[in-house]
Amino acid sequence: MSTTVETDVLIVGSGPAGASAALALSTYGVPNIVVTRYASLADTPRAHITNQRTMEVLRDLGVEQEVVARATPQHLMGNTTFCTSLAGEELGRVRSWGNDPLVQAAHELASPTRMCDMPQHLMEPVLVDAAVARGTSLRFETEYLSHTQDADGVTATVRDRLRGDTYEIRAKYLVGADGGRSRVAEDAGLPMSGQMGVAGSINIVFEADLAKYTAHRPSTLYWVLAPGATVGGIGAGLVRCVRPWHEWLIVWGYDVTAGAPDLTTEYAESVVRQLVGDVEIPVTIKSSSAWTVNEMYAENYSHGRVFCAGDATHRHPPSNGLGSNTSIQDSYNLAWKLKLVLDGTASPKLLDTYSAERAPIGKQVVTRANQSIGETAPIFEALDGLSPQTPEQLWANIAARKDATEAAEKQRAGLREAIAFKVYEFNAHGVDLNQRYASDAVVPDGTPAETFARDPELHHQPTSRPGARIPHAWLISGTRTVSTLDTVGKGRFTLLTGIGGEGWLRAAEAQDVDIATVVVGPGQEYEDPYGDWARLSEISDGGALLVRPDGFVAFRHATAAPDAEALLSDALRRILGHA
């Protein structure tokens, strides 16, 4: 066996979770190695919806603009269409992904970023290239085999798939980001709930010029209600735009108990033509693959010095577009904690808060994504399309909605209602942004428990409560306009206060921890021209918010305090695990 390689953090997997972990760690100056058993990064689109919270993470890590330049923009994502085929009858649409005028306003009020459609085979190179440029060592064709850990670190055995030999990598911490069949999670013995393989789906990537069927109703997703669409899969046939309007991915279900069909080019093309509804348009099949719908989540994300992230810990269908978003956010949560523990600022106890904060989010995401599949059934029910019947009967049911009868009017109303209810899949702004953390890295301020004025899955509710992401408001600094989110992050804590908060500034300077300070008010470094921050901060001018490196509020004090230094010192001890 060759000489052991050493690093601070070993990351297994180069997908969204692994790549973003590497990017964050290298941005923070933490040595890390990424190993992947594959010879390249993702070569198929896979994950694609990129929500506002993930764009905020990428903004802080300095790659937001590269993603925006490569992604399909938000305004081309939002006419989610239900139809009998792309060339066939349209049954209705949902204004999606923030493109409803009211939801669009909520998006603009919530964040300095815009969601977009960034396919995984385009996202991974952005993350990995930036990580490598900042210090990550990337090893392709390197397969993780096993690991052992002791009081000082983790020793992983890997195999070079080109040479065929094995060697060891010694790291202080190991991050398992190796996907839905994670060997790292299995070896670490992470407890899992739920089940794998609850339904079967096929991905077919193809090229075809479908502009005449789609450009007038631009969307990321076109849902096809056709005979066989309810079998397995995600509830209906799906035509997904990868690149407008020539590159596509179809998702089609199969009976998982019978096994996947033979994925020949002829089979793939037959599915494409059924869902497109055009037998003459030129089609080029790029790839096809079978996968299963899963409903599984880890109850704990770590064991000793081993941490898992992404699909290794939450396995679910693509509904709501939450997969890569949650994966990137997992790694962002973990990276700053590893950095502070490795440089001696924090106790290893800080790392216990990773599971405490992210495991509830993973469970919520798995539940929401699978629930969204079930919410497709009422659309078929409105068309009497769930009971076994011939294709001719389904087409007759669809045609019947056009009749001038009381039954047809009731059918039309039911169909509109069922399609509108899909807003929980396509506009779940609260699921994206209402994450709340409860852990030892958050100091409660004694205020009453939060209540939500509107549905917390659909609507974002900003708050500066400890455990919530800092609210977005536009500030000015000289001639620059910056978001409050732009004043925090960068791998360090930030204390925000206003006029009268001098005691908090002195308290921040007295700490051994790197704390940036932000003062908002007339004549200060940052001014609040619209008065939004005064409202959203939920503290007086002399109060203070201590914001963690990941943009979440860790400590809040509503007013100036004569004992500010003692209060801040005590909060930091608790947050960093020294209490």
Side-chain angles (χ1 to χ4, degrees):
M1 188 173 287
S2 51
T3 305
T4 299
V5 177
E6 295 189 359
T7 189
D8 277 6
V9 181
L10 171 62
I11 301 164
V12 179
S14 58
S20 53
L23 174 57
L25 289 170
S26 288
T27 302
Y28 302 154
V30 177
N32 65 90
I33 295 173
V34 174
V35 299
T36 172
R37 68 190 305 271
Y38 300 108
S40 66
L41 301 178
D43 57 1
T44 57
R46 294 190 292 229
H48 60 116
I49 297 294
T50 308
N51 67 32
Q52 284 185 297
R53 180 55 193 156
T54 297
M55 292 302 291
E56 290 172 357
V57 171
L58 301 179
R59 184 184 183 95
D60 182 48
L61 296 178
V63 295
E64 178 194 16
Q65 290 309 311
E66 293 180 61
V67 171
V68 169
R70 291 164 172 78
T72 298
Q74 186 174 14
H75 71 275
L76 294 180
M77 296 169 61
N79 281 286
T80 298
T81 300
F82 293 84
C83 54
T84 60
S85 70
L86 293 191
E89 288 195 53
E90 181 174 315
L91 304 172
R93 303 181 195 177
V94 178
R95 295 184 181 95
S96 306
W97 314 120
N99 281 284
D100 178 284
L102 293 176
V103 180
Q104 186 176 35
H107 275 234
E108 293 195 6
L109 290 168
S111 176
T113 68
R114 294 292 171 267
M115 71 183 307
C116 60
D117 188 296
M118 183 65 166
Q120 188 169 336
H121 68 304
L122 302 180
M123 176 70 86
E124 284 185 16
V126 170
L127 302 178
V128 170
D129 288 353
V132 170
R134 298 175 196 181
T136 292
S137 174
L138 172 64
R139 299 187 174 205
F140 287 115
E141 300 266 24
T142 303
E143 182 179 7
Y144 163 87
L145 298 178
S146 63
H147 75 264
T148 60
Q149 60 175 310
D150 52 47
D152 300 315
V154 182
T155 301
T157 301
V158 300
R159 176 169 55 225
D160 186 306
R161 301 183 73 195
L162 291 175
R163 295 191 307 253
D165 63 316
T166 62
Y167 63 97
E168 291 181 344
I169 300 177
R170 176 70 174 175
K172 292 168 183 164
Y173 294 97
L174 169 63
V175 176
D178 50 337
R181 301 189 182 278
S182 171
R183 286 278 302 274
V184 177
E186 182 179 351
D187 291 348
L190 298 190
M192 297 280 180
S193 291
Q195 59 180 323
M196 300 280 279
V198 297
S201 282
I202 298 162
N203 279 4
I204 301 170
V205 180
F206 68 101
E207 291 182 352
D209 181 0
L210 302 182
K212 64 180 178 179
Y213 300 126
T214 57
H216 64 287
R217 48 183 180 183
S219 183
T220 286
L221 304 175
Y222 300 84
W223 291 83
V224 179
L225 280 67
T230 58
V231 175
I234 56 174
L238 175 65
V239 183
R240 177 189 135 199
C241 178
V242 177
R243 305 299 285 171
W245 304 108
H246 61 89
E247 189 174 347
W248 302 87
L249 184 151
I250 272 178
V251 183
W252 185 245
Y254 68 89
D255 182 355
V256 73
T257 62
D262 187 10
L263 300 180
T264 63
T265 299
E266 292 74 21
Y267 173 81
E269 187 171 324
S270 70
V271 175
V272 169
R273 295 205 178 278
Q274 179 182 354
L275 271 62
V276 172
D278 186 331
V279 297
E280 296 181 353
I281 198 165
V283 170
T284 302
I285 303 297
K286 306 292 288 185
S287 67
S288 57
S289 59
W291 52 279
T292 59
V293 174
N294 303 313
E295 189 170 1
M296 180 171 281
Y297 55 89
E299 298 170 358
N300 192 316
Y301 282 17
S302 65
H303 178 256
R305 289 175 172 264
V306 178
F307 300 84
C308 286
D311 289 356
T313 54
H314 36 82
R315 304 163 190 178
H316 54 86
S319 314
N320 288 76
L322 297 168
S324 63
N325 292 289
T326 310
S327 301
I328 290 169
Q329 293 164 36
D330 285 345
S331 295
Y332 188 59
N333 180 287
L334 178 61
W336 71 269
K337 297 173 181 177
L338 285 170
K339 183 254 186 185
L340 293 183
V341 170
L342 286 164
D343 71 14
T345 299
S347 159
K349 288 194 294 184
L350 174 63
L351 297 174
D352 295 338
T353 67
Y354 171 61
S355 273
E357 293 180 352
R358 294 305 298 174
I361 304 299
K363 179 180 179 181
Q364 177 197 16
V365 162
V366 171
T367 301
R368 177 65 260 170
N370 279 277
Q371 189 174 331
S372 290
I373 292 179
E375 289 168 357
T376 304
I379 300 176
F380 284 91
E381 290 175 2
L383 299 168
D384 295 323
L386 287 179
S387 57
Q389 57 188 282
T390 64
E392 291 75 17
Q393 184 59 54
L394 177 60
W395 302 137
N397 294 344
I398 289 172
R401 80 191 194 285
K402 305 173 189 176
D403 295 342
T405 64
E406 184 177 341
E409 184 170 352
K410 183 178 179 181
Q411 183 185 36
R412 291 191 292 271
L415 183 60
R416 287 194 300 269
E417 182 179 341
I419 290 175
F421 196 73
K422 292 298 287 181
V423 69
Y424 278 91
E425 178 171 358
F426 305 128
N427 269 321
H429 200 209
V431 174
D432 294 345
L433 293 181
N434 283 343
Q435 297 178 10
R436 304 289 189 259
Y437 293 157
S439 76
D440 290 341
V442 172
V443 181
D445 65 353
T447 53
E450 182 180 13
T451 58
F452 285 86
R454 297 189 293 173
D455 190 318
E457 285 198 310
L458 292 183
H459 302 287
H460 166 52
Q461 179 166 294
T463 179
S464 70
R465 291 178 60 86
R469 154 192 164 278
I470 182 177
H472 156 66
W474 289 114
L475 306 175
I476 58 171
S477 179
T479 58
R480 295 186 305 129
T481 300
V482 298
S483 168
T484 46
L485 276 77
D486 297 327
T487 69
V488 304
K490 308 298 185 291
R492 78 262 191 270
F493 285 89
T494 304
L495 184 135
L496 292 91
T497 187
I499 295 172
E502 292 79 7
W504 293 111
L505 299 178
R506 291 191 295 270
E509 292 172 0
Q511 306 304 316
D512 294 330
V513 181
D514 179 21
I515 303 176
T517 55
V518 173
V519 183
V520 182
Q524 306 303 309
E525 180 183 2
Y526 296 94
E527 299 195 33
D528 181 21
Y530 306 107
D532 292 337
W533 180 242
R535 171 176 51 86
L536 292 168
S537 68
E538 300 175 317
I539 58 174
S540 69
D541 290 348
L545 298 176
L546 180 67
V547 181
R548 309 183 330 182
D550 60 357
F552 278 72
V553 178
F555 165 81
R556 177 173 73 170
H557 198 281
T559 62
D563 55 347
E565 184 174 340
L567 289 170
L568 189 59
S569 296
D570 179 65
L572 282 166
R573 280 195 298 272
R574 294 172 62 179
I575 294 161
L576 298 174
H578 296 311

